[in-house]
Amino acid sequence: MAAVQRLIGAGRMPYVFLLPNFVFFGLFVFLPIGINLVFSVTGGPALFPSERPFVGAEQYAYLFDCGSYLDPSSCREDHFWRGVSNTAVFVLFQVGAMVLVSLLTALVLNRPIRGRGFFRAVYFFPVLLSPVVVALIWKWILQRDGLLNAAITSLGGQKILFFVDPSWAMFWAVFVSVWAHMGFYTLILLAGLQAIPSDLYEAAEMDRTPRWRILWRITLPLLWPNMIVVIVLSLIKGVQTFDEVFVLTGGGPGTATLMVVQYIYETAFANQVQNFGLAAAASVVLGLVLFALTLAQLAATRMKER
């Protein structure tokens, strides 16, 4: 390294250490993004970009050709808009449930309860599991001859087909996602709770302030920066959801739990007629949404630092 430093100068040495990261991001991040953009403005079944004819914004126009964006059946590519609709519903309920459950769990684990360290580890453990493993576990529990139906029939009830009814399928998709990821967001909120000065709570107790008022006037306002981070991160995760729902329900029944990422995967690889250009255009649209959410996350992080 001394020889390299003498050759290029001490001021350029940081770039030498950053070079492997630049190469990695160039090959596995920026190059695929560029290829994806090329695919989104070209057509035909060919795999190599040089063999694909330029079609401009035709793929995007096809995606957004709708009579009403609120009615997927009025769109030319109705599966894409069903995926958008399902993803919006999933994110709405999943983020709401995630924030509420994580907040309640963090509040409980922040109290001086017996075995607090053990319960913190238990709640975080699902985060360490692969999403596919999580989905398979719950699929074995919820399928027609699974553990939950075995318990129901042993009590004299009838088997419930959880993955046949669209409402049940979406409910369990949200439930499994919350169960799998709440530990991560609980830790973020728990860190925020532990950063609140204890003097504030002692002063409130001396004034005999009710617990609900302490929560509303002290805890939640001071925890709000962490809450924003949790909301934005769970939004980004929810929009990108694929593996858990795909393994759990396969997008069914019908298209009741078809998500945007699953639509992109099936359009490019799983359908009998593979349309790489349309899938690339859909992924660009999704990427712009994620980029906007990432900017929101950065703004939330800066607000938390202030």
Side-chain angles (χ1 to χ4, degrees), residues 91-103 174-175 178 182:
V91 167
L92 177 65
F93 287 100
Q94 191 253 17
V95 172
M98 186 77 76
V99 172
L100 179 60
V101 173
S102 299
L103 176 61
V174 172
F175 176 86
V178 172
M182 60 166 285

Side-chain angles (χ1 to χ4, degrees), residues 160-172 252-253 256-257:
I160 302 175
L161 303 179
F162 295 107
F163 299 135
V164 172
D165 184 275
S167 299
W168 271 114
M170 182 60 76
F171 168 81
W172 285 112
T257 56

Side-chain angles (χ1 to χ4, degrees), residues 128-149:
L128 304 177
L129 298 176
S130 164
V132 174
V133 172
V134 170
L136 285 175
I137 290 172
W138 281 100
K139 189 172 184 178
W140 292 333
I141 294 173
L142 299 170
Q143 63 188 358
R144 186 178 185 277
D145 297 318
L147 295 177
L148 186 54
N149 272 324

Side-chain angles (χ1 to χ4, degrees), residues 249-271:
T249 66
T255 57
T257 56
L258 175 71
M259 303 297 170
V260 173
V261 179
Q262 182 180 343
Y263 164 82
I264 294 171
Y265 161 73
E266 291 182 346
T267 302
F269 305 110
N271 290 344

